[in-house]
Amino acid sequence: MNRFDYVRPNTVAEAIQALGSDPAARFIAGGTNLIDLMKYDVERPGKLIDITRLPLGEIEERDGGLRIGALVTNATVAYDARIRERYPLLADAILAGASAQLRNAASTGGNLLQRTRCYYFYDTATPCNKREPGSGCSAIGGVDRIHAILGTSEHCIATHPSDMCVALAALEATVQVSGPQGDRAIPFSDFHRLPGDNPAKDTNLAPGEIIVAIDLPANGFAGHHTYLKLRDRLSYAFALVSVAAALELDGPTIRTARLALGGVAHKPWRNREAEALLQGKPATRESFKAAADLILREAKPQSTNGFKIELARRAIVRGLEQAAAGTPQSQSDKRIQ
């Protein structure tokens, strides 16, 4: 066991101050990811800052949408009546992930900060640029079946693990943060990073900042949405490919389209060009195939994950068809034909 200090602030300001006083400190709430990382010796924080006493545990009405406090549990979000009625895409995505026990403990803010589930990231006996910048990427040329096909770099091909974040990307949520320089709002599309030449940095949080809330916009696409998750087994597995699809329709014509993919990139993947392609088009399989082809035209498979390209193509089409028909994917059936 590595030794570490433990503090429990009562205010956001105290939490920020505690983080600024120790570069090796880490915030802990549910601990569903950080504790695993500590057990595997991937993370060795010199201080744990327990933020569970901070006043960030409510879901509130805000500007026609909802504000979800960073400490609201995943289970609370998924079963909240307002979320189920107005943002069912988000509820379905959360219920597609993890186990009931984990959802009861995991926090909203913590979900955004999950580290990758790359085999080599968790194996400290192997080189990994996310753990030790400049050491190399063992996944490239290694066992790469679960790895990214979009937005990769020569330094990292890891994928982002969250289901919730894929839905938040499609909904165009906003991340509210606080830090030494004050408060700021980060559009969800700008929160996570692609690996580039610095894969160790997962987000665009500035040093000393803490997530305080997630803002959902007024439009939750409650009528036409789906979250489709494809995985190796029906439960308790990360996505090989997932699709969050949301549509606004004017009769048979697509007025607005939102589409985000999980399991294929270092961050939830959106292609606004493909979304724009769908606007004004009929909600047909042909339109959906054209959007899928556009999204996947720059896919770069590794030695054993090329199947993800066709899997993603079919998933995009199926997800959009379900959204258009108003028949969201059943949480009891994650198969794809």
Side-chain angles (χ1 to χ4, degrees), residues 50-107:
D50 183 346
I51 60 173
T52 54
R53 287 185 177 176
L54 303 187
L56 305 175
E58 301 295 329
I59 301 177
E60 304 171 327
E61 299 285 341
R62 181 65 61 101
D63 298 328
L66 291 177
R67 171 165 289 184
I68 304 172
L71 292 179
V72 179
T73 67
N74 287 182
T76 298
V77 176
Y79 292 112
D80 184 271
R82 294 164 294 180
I83 299 291
R84 292 298 313 168
E85 179 181 355
R86 294 157 57 182
Y87 306 92
L89 174 60
L90 177 58
D92 288 349
I94 292 172
L95 292 175
S99 66
Q101 293 90 337
L102 287 173
R103 293 194 297 266
N104 284 338
S107 67

Side-chain angles (χ1 to χ4, degrees), residues 10-215:
N10 292 302
T11 67
V12 171
E14 289 177 2
I16 294 169
Q17 183 178 20
L19 184 64
S21 66
D22 186 348
R26 295 289 185 272
F27 291 129
I28 186 168
T32 56
N33 187 207
L34 179 59
I35 297 302
D36 282 345
L37 294 171
M38 293 172 66
K39 289 178 179 178
Y40 281 96
D41 207 29
V42 175
E43 290 271 8
R44 303 183 68 177
K47 178 191 292 184
L48 290 184
I49 304 169
D50 183 346
I51 60 173
T52 54
R53 287 185 177 176
L54 303 187
L56 305 175
E58 301 295 329
I59 301 177
E60 304 171 327
E61 299 285 341
R62 181 65 61 101
D63 298 328
L66 291 177
R67 171 165 289 184
I68 304 172
L71 292 179
V72 179
T73 67
N74 287 182
T76 298
V77 176
Y79 292 112
D80 184 271
R82 294 164 294 180
I83 299 291
R84 292 298 313 168
E85 179 181 355
R86 294 157 57 182
Y87 306 92
L89 174 60
L90 177 58
D92 288 349
I94 292 172
L95 292 175
S99 66
Q101 293 90 337
L102 287 173
R103 293 194 297 266
N104 284 338
S107 67
T108 296
N111 193 296
L112 270 62
L113 298 176
Q114 289 182 82
R115 303 301 306 274
T116 183
R117 291 317 199 272
C118 173
Y119 311 125
Y120 302 100
F121 174 68
Y122 271 77
D123 183 358
T124 56
T126 63
C128 173
N129 287 321
K130 290 182 75 67
R131 277 188 286 101
E132 298 179 34
S135 64
C137 177
S138 298
I140 298 176
V143 179
D144 54 34
R145 181 176 179 274
I146 67 170
H147 287 76
I149 57 173
L150 291 166
T152 59
S153 77
E154 61 181 339
H155 302 288
C156 182
I157 58 171
T159 55
H160 193 270
S162 172
D163 291 292
M164 185 183 82
C165 288
V166 181
L168 291 173
L171 291 170
E172 292 191 344
T174 301
V175 185
Q176 301 292 338
V177 304
S178 186
Q181 306 305 316
D183 302 335
R184 68 182 179 119
I186 306 175
F188 202 85
S189 59
D190 296 332
F191 184 78
H192 295 102
R193 293 166 48 92
L194 292 177
D197 59 4
N198 184 17
K201 186 173 174 58
D202 292 332
T203 74
N204 284 312
L205 282 175
E209 286 187 327
I210 181 174
I211 299 171
V212 296
I214 308 296
D215 284 350

